[in-house]
Amino acid sequence: MRARSFVPLLALACLLSLVSASLFPGPSLSGPSLSGPSPYPLPRGEREKLAGTVVRVVDGDTVHVRLGDRVEKVRYIGIDTPETHHPTRGEEPGGRAATEVNGRLVGDRAVRLEPDVQLRDRYGRLLAYVWVTRADGGELMVNAEMVRLGYAQVMTIPPNVRHAELFRKLASEAREHRRGLWAP
């Protein structure tokens, strides 16, 4: 008889712990959450208006951007390019070409950064879709252009999936037309 009265009490305790954890979040014992608040927050109000100037092109999918009085390392969301400075793999084929194309697209230019759900990766890099202004005044998403030109592959990491379908379509076209890294 005692076990039956214990089950509802246990269920109530579990429910209360879930509710209290969501109302009063504490530090995580397993490290920072990938989908929760960033351990490297941006100053208040800056998430919506991230605009700056590229000060360094690291490789085909990473740049340093001056945002106000600080410089942020920005990793492009949804794509992956061959490495140029990997600690164990070294330089991968196509890495320099991807870096050069990225440099032509964003080097020393003003950019607008569009975050998705997860603001930072586990290395503290700001994650963004990177936009530049074209000569006609419109905007070009650099992430998509790198894929369209064939210098980046699609790398979808949930929860940042806003433009994943577009990237898949552009990658298929780049392979079909043998552009960039897909060229013979």
Side-chain angles (χ1 to χ4, degrees), residues 100-148:
E100 288 171 13
V101 170
N102 190 27
R104 286 196 303 268
L105 291 170
V106 299
D108 299 320
R109 294 188 61 189
V111 293
R112 181 174 64 82
L113 306 177
E114 174 192 346
D116 205 330
V117 176
Q118 180 184 344
L119 188 61
R120 295 192 185 267
D121 67 8
R122 65 183 174 191
Y123 306 108
R125 298 177 296 188
L126 188 62
L127 300 172
Y129 302 103
V130 178
W131 297 82
V132 294
T133 303
R134 298 185 316 227
D136 66 4
E139 285 190 315
L140 174 74
M141 186 199 312
V142 178
N143 314 46
E145 187 67 359
M146 291 293 292
V147 175
R148 187 188 76 77

